[in-house]
Amino acid sequence: MHRYLAGLGLVLTCAISVQAQPAMPAMDHDAMDMQGGVAPADARDPDAWSGGYRRGVGPYALGHGHHGMGLHAMADERLFAGVLVDRLERAGHDGTHVEGRAWIGNAYDKAMLKAESGIERGRIDDARTELLWSHAVATYWDTQIGLRHDDGAGRPARDWLAIGIQGLAPYWFELEATAYVGEGGRTALRLAGEYELLITQRLILQPRVEAQFQGRADPATGVGSGLTTGALGMRLRYEFSRQFAPYVGVERSGAFGDTADLSHNAGHPSVRTRWVAGLRLWF
């Protein structure tokens, strides 16, 4: 009985306590002092460290980022331009060969001019000029689209639409593949690859291979169908600086199939080996 009365008293005491507790007032966020607020009169100037210059105004304003998000401009968003003369070489009685490229743009999009020509006896025997728009699609890889123009002494000019990809494959192989579509349904494909083997930090051995294919024969330009020409070369250069590097090398090139027959009929050897000496420049 005593135990029952003690329990009933404890329950009544708790009920009275709950009813007597006042309700908590709602939180007034406006009345609360939030973090920040008005800076005191003697606060440090946040722009004092930069001499008063700020990111968005003044002579050193950076403007908007790559996607217009107001971000700081990164190095790969800057506008760059360059010229690379990859091969400027002389090969005995075979004349002079020039191959290079120039570009302007950033790491994602750039306009590019590629040119290659062979000069013999003071005239340009054959020349390939490409004007391309290059767009980055992956790390180290760009797609390219544009126009190609072929010309040379004693041969008709040809124009092509060019679509290709260029980049750096695993193990640092530089690869390039470009397909071409020309007038009258002509098609062509050009593949090239090279590797730079650093013997020392300045002495570099560069093997290079190139092959060209054509969809159908074009006797006016001395080209047959299928695999038309190919070249395998090895060049050893010494970089006095990254911008100036003389080299020596050897290259084995040849024509195949119908192209070899057309070359033979024109009095040219279908296969030849050239010892070359030249310069590699860029600026």
Side-chain angles (χ1 to χ4, degrees):
M1 188 62 159
H2 290 86
R3 184 179 303 173
Y4 173 77
L5 291 175
L8 180 62
L10 179 60
V11 171
L12 291 174
T13 302
C14 292
I16 292 171
S17 299
V18 170
Q19 290 180 351
Q21 185 175 3
M24 294 183 64
M27 297 182 66
D28 186 359
H29 293 278
D30 295 335
M32 297 178 65
D33 293 334
M34 305 299 290
Q35 186 177 7
V38 180
D42 58 347
R44 181 180 63 84
D45 181 1
D47 299 321
W49 63 273
S50 63
Y53 292 111
R54 291 179 289 172
R55 183 173 69 89
V57 296
Y60 301 106
L62 298 177
H64 295 288
H66 176 63
H67 299 291
M69 300 298 291
L71 304 175
H72 284 285
M74 307 302 289
D76 56 2
E77 297 177 288
R78 297 292 186 180
L79 187 67
F80 293 100
V83 176
L84 169 64
V85 181
D86 199 26
R87 288 187 291 163
L88 173 58
E89 62 189 25
R90 180 78 179 177
H93 299 292
D94 290 334
T96 302
H97 188 90
V98 182
E99 181 175 359
R101 63 190 62 180
W103 64 90
I104 182 170
N106 56 34
Y108 302 97
D109 296 286
K110 60 176 72 71
M112 181 172 291
L113 177 66
K114 295 182 180 179
E116 180 179 5
S117 63
I119 305 171
E120 188 173 356
R121 299 185 182 90
R123 68 175 190 177
I124 299 177
D125 280 348
D126 60 89
R128 172 176 59 87
T129 306
E130 297 180 71
L131 180 60
L132 305 169
W133 181 256
S134 183
H135 176 70
V137 292
T139 305
Y140 305 123
W141 288 95
D142 292 349
T143 56
Q144 297 176 335
I145 185 170
L147 301 174
R148 166 182 165 178
H149 177 73
D150 293 347
D151 206 348
R155 51 163 293 174
R158 294 286 186 260
D159 294 311
W160 308 82
L161 173 66
I163 302 174
I165 187 168
Q166 175 180 325
L168 194 63
Y171 301 100
W172 307 106
F173 287 92
E174 295 186 21
L175 302 179
E176 180 179 354
T178 310
Y180 304 96
V181 179
E183 299 176 353
R186 284 190 294 271
T187 57
L189 176 66
R190 176 175 176 270
L191 305 175
E194 63 185 32
Y195 186 79
E196 293 191 344
L197 179 62
L198 274 65
I199 300 175
T200 68
Q201 290 297 319
R202 292 180 179 273
L203 190 63
I204 299 170
L205 184 65
Q206 183 183 46
R208 184 177 186 277
V209 62
E210 179 178 345
Q212 302 197 53
F213 304 81
Q214 188 132 330
R216 69 181 189 186
D218 187 3
T221 59
V223 176
S225 60
L227 175 60
T228 58
T229 58
L232 176 63
M234 189 81 70
R235 290 168 175 81
L236 181 66
R237 72 172 185 265
Y238 185 82
E239 293 186 344
F240 287 98
S241 70
R242 296 300 304 275
Q243 290 79 24
F244 179 79
Y247 64 82
V248 294
V250 59
E251 184 174 87
R252 180 80 169 174
S253 61
F256 303 92
D258 296 337
T259 305
D261 297 334
L262 293 170
S263 179
H264 179 74
N265 295 336
H268 301 297
S270 58
V271 179
R272 60 182 177 179
T273 301
R274 304 185 309 145
W275 293 91
V276 300
L279 289 174
R280 184 178 190 268
L281 309 166
W282 67 267
F283 48 89

